Amino acid sequence: MGCSLLQSDRGGRGPKEAKRRSTGYSPCANPKVELELSMLVRDATHGDLERIVTIYNQTIASRMVTADLEAVTVDQRRAWFAAHTPDFRPLWVAQEFEDGPIVAWLSFQSFYGRQAYDATAEVSLYVDSAMRRSGIGRKFLERAIEHAPSLGIRNLIGFIFGHNTPSLILFERFGFTRWGVLPRVAVLDGHERDLVIVGKRVDSLRR
């Protein structure tokens, strides 16, 4: 994946960035850099798994994001982690600054596990609770859409609970449309919930 800076929506440029620009500083000269008001995006490593699991577990109590009802463990996610590869089904993490904590992660996952479906991938996005509404989710999803064709992906899909209005709005903002609904397939604290399948064709982006 190389050096990648994901610009957030949290404000204007600070004095340090202005100085870097005035001196001809190039952030991609170093694969790990600190740049104010930007996110450093990179492929996840094994050492990131604990933080990835922590961010995931933050969403369980809301009963809006995941069908897991109890916190998962790092050991339970090792096989899932191993299924990701940078050149086919990457798992990305974002940091606010060099050596800072991971504040978000995004994964591409095979849709159905059959070879004929290799051109279709599910995208999942999780943001640390302290960083929600900061613009990271929008920028991360935008990058996934732009990068997907280089991974041989023609279709991106998402599985979103029907009552998760913020996530549905986010995906629809980027051109995802509703490709299907599985009615009342999940039971969350006694409430039956729909699962909405959203999708977007992305292969035309490289033409």
Side-chain angles (χ1 to χ4, degrees), residues 49-68:
L49 185 54
E50 182 175 359
R51 179 63 180 156
I52 289 170
V53 168
T54 296
I55 293 174
Y56 178 82
N57 283 337
Q58 290 174 353
T59 69
I60 294 176
S62 72
R63 299 296 194 256
M64 289 183 62
V65 180
T66 175
D68 279 313

Side-chain angles (χ1 to χ4, degrees), residues 78-85 88-90 108-110:
R78 292 192 192 280
W80 167 85
F81 181 90
H84 291 85
T85 56
F88 181 58
R89 295 290 187 260
F108 294 86
Q109 188 164 322
S110 292

Side-chain angles (χ1 to χ4, degrees), residues 64-65 141 158-181 194-199:
M64 289 183 62
V65 180
L141 183 57
F159 297 95
I160 303 172
F161 284 134
H163 63 294
N164 187 352
T165 302
S167 290
L168 289 171
I169 290 175
L170 172 64
F171 276 73
E172 289 169 358
R173 180 179 296 169
F174 283 94
F176 285 77
T177 57
R178 299 192 182 200
W179 286 4
V181 177
D194 297 346
L195 184 65
V196 178
I197 303 171
V198 297

Side-chain angles (χ1 to χ4, degrees), residues 110-178:
S110 292
F111 162 57
Y112 195 65
R114 302 288 191 274
Q115 190 173 2
Y117 294 111
D118 279 354
T120 298
E122 176 189 355
V123 62
S124 299
L125 171 62
Y126 290 82
V127 179
D128 181 83
S129 58
M131 298 296 293
R132 292 170 194 164
R133 300 184 181 277
S134 67
I136 295 174
R138 293 192 297 273
K139 293 298 182 180
F140 228 164
L141 183 57
E142 181 178 35
R143 176 168 180 78
I145 293 168
E146 293 175 350
H147 196 71
S150 70
L151 299 169
I153 295 172
R154 299 180 181 181
N155 304 290
L156 282 176
I157 60 173
F159 297 95
I160 303 172
F161 284 134
H163 63 294
N164 187 352
T165 302
S167 290
L168 289 171
I169 290 175
L170 172 64
F171 276 73
E172 289 169 358
R173 180 179 296 169
F174 283 94
F176 285 77
T177 57
R178 299 192 182 200

